[in-house]
Amino acid sequence: MRLLTAFALTALTWALTSDGALAAPVYGQPTNGALGFQPGVTPIMDRVNDFHNLMLWIIVPITLLVMGLLAYVMIRYRRSANPEPKKFSHNTTIEVIWTGVPILILIFISFFSFPILYFQDEIPESDFTIKAVGYQWYWGYSYPDHGIEEYASTMVPEADLRADQPRNLAVDQPIVIPVNSTVRLQVTAGDVIHNWAMPAFGSKMDAIPGRLNETWFRVDREGVYYGQCSELCGIRHAFMPIEVHVVSQEVFDRWIELSAEDPYSTDAYQLITEYTAARETRMAQLD
């Protein structure tokens, strides 16, 4: 009891005094001290978040019930209160209940989870395709519908970061997509298994050598979004980030023109950087 009390007081003190504790999540990247998921910007993530909230209403009562039963058993059947232990080992009614009730709960949950899985798996008619190839330890991207050959997207070293770039998440050559466009993402790998994961999109797809997996997303908010490889792929697994810039259709079309000539075009990168900086300035003024 003393240990539990000390733990509760420590957690409460941290929540009230630590920097960034209980901060509101921001779009596109992790937030120190935030609770919950990153804000969703796709239909998939909206549904995942709704399902997560539903599951909280199910799992919290179950957890409290189990904790209550454990506390009751520990107190009611402690050695000092029961010097003579009972000899029985089975109770048919209890065994039927703890088998049947979880089955009914899982059936109830399936009515909400299966439609989400189907929604994620069925790729709608897309506006264009991006192919992502995982390597040790960077991502390669190509835009086959726009004639952009594969280019390498590697993490920016900490010494080279700009003030607006997050550590271990920014890359030198990001993905660029237009807002409100349906994108088909093809994912594979060139060496070992990787995983293309973008929390704000609700996307998480294995990149497997010799296999082409597919997923999709449609982002409804402009901005910069970060993810990471979430499959243990070697010693530099933690330094294999993903950066996606969601821009207006006009900016995307101009970026395509520049990148089709040279995937590593300085002008293309400058276009996206300046657009993002201008957008952040506008958002700051609105705040």
Side-chain angles (χ1 to χ4, degrees), residues 2-282:
R2 291 178 180 177
L3 179 62
L4 291 176
T5 302
F7 177 79
L9 290 175
T10 301
L12 179 61
T13 302
W14 175 87
L16 295 176
T17 61
S18 62
D19 292 336
L22 304 181
V26 300
Y27 283 90
Q29 59 182 289
T31 306
N32 183 36
L35 296 177
F37 295 135
Q38 293 180 24
V41 292
T42 67
I44 291 176
M45 190 56 196
D46 289 342
R47 297 191 182 201
V48 170
N49 193 50
D50 290 343
F51 180 70
H52 171 263
N53 293 336
L54 170 67
M55 288 302 300
L56 283 177
W57 288 102
I58 297 175
I59 196 62
V60 168
I62 292 175
T63 303
L64 294 176
L65 174 63
V66 172
M67 290 179 61
L69 290 174
L70 287 173
Y72 173 77
V73 169
M74 287 187 292
I75 296 172
R76 172 66 179 80
Y77 298 103
R78 66 190 187 278
R79 177 181 296 180
S80 59
N82 295 272
E84 294 291 333
K86 299 294 188 297
K87 302 296 184 180
F88 67 87
S89 60
H90 295 283
N91 185 299
T92 302
T93 301
I94 292 178
E95 292 186 3
V96 169
I97 292 173
W98 73 34
T99 301
V101 171
I103 291 175
L104 294 176
I105 294 174
L106 291 176
I107 292 174
F108 174 78
I109 292 173
S110 70
F111 284 107
F112 299 92
S113 63
F114 285 0
I116 296 177
L117 294 174
Y118 182 81
F119 186 69
Q120 291 175 317
D121 187 59
E122 287 296 310
I123 300 177
E125 183 177 353
S126 59
D127 295 303
F128 62 92
T129 298
I130 297 176
K131 184 177 181 180
V133 183
Y135 300 101
Q136 292 180 311
W137 286 271
Y138 64 95
W139 290 96
Y141 299 111
S142 61
Y143 290 65
D145 296 335
H146 298 92
I148 299 179
E149 297 181 356
E150 183 175 295
Y151 61 88
S153 178
T154 59
M155 188 185 76
V156 177
E158 187 171 357
D160 298 333
L161 288 173
R162 300 192 309 270
D164 61 333
Q165 291 181 311
R167 174 177 173 271
N168 288 349
L169 290 175
V171 302
D172 56 358
Q173 298 292 332
I175 298 176
V176 180
I177 63 172
V179 67
N180 292 323
S181 291
T182 301
V183 180
R184 178 192 297 264
L185 181 70
Q186 297 179 334
V187 185
T188 187
D191 36 50
V192 300
I193 298 177
H194 301 278
N195 187 286
W196 199 92
M198 182 61 64
F201 295 1
S203 298
K204 192 173 186 295
M205 181 58 66
D206 276 339
I208 302 174
R211 180 182 178 88
L212 193 66
N213 290 330
E214 290 187 328
T215 186
W216 70 281
F217 50 82
R218 184 174 63 252
V219 185
D220 57 17
R221 179 188 174 99
E222 291 187 21
V224 183
Y225 302 94
Y226 298 96
Q228 290 177 302
C229 172
S230 60
E231 185 70 53
L232 294 177
C233 56
I235 59 173
R236 288 190 59 81
H237 157 70
F239 309 104
M240 194 173 168
I242 303 163
E243 181 177 339
V244 180
H245 287 242
V246 182
V247 300
S248 67
Q249 185 65 51
E250 293 77 12
V251 173
F252 174 75
D253 292 339
R254 179 56 180 158
W255 181 84
I256 287 293
E257 292 178 8
L258 296 171
S259 299
E261 299 174 1
D262 177 10
Y264 298 98
S265 169
T266 303
D267 291 338
Y269 183 78
Q270 189 70 19
L271 172 70
I272 298 302
T273 302
E274 292 178 355
Y275 182 83
T276 300
R279 179 187 173 278
E280 293 299 325
T281 300
R282 294 194 304 270

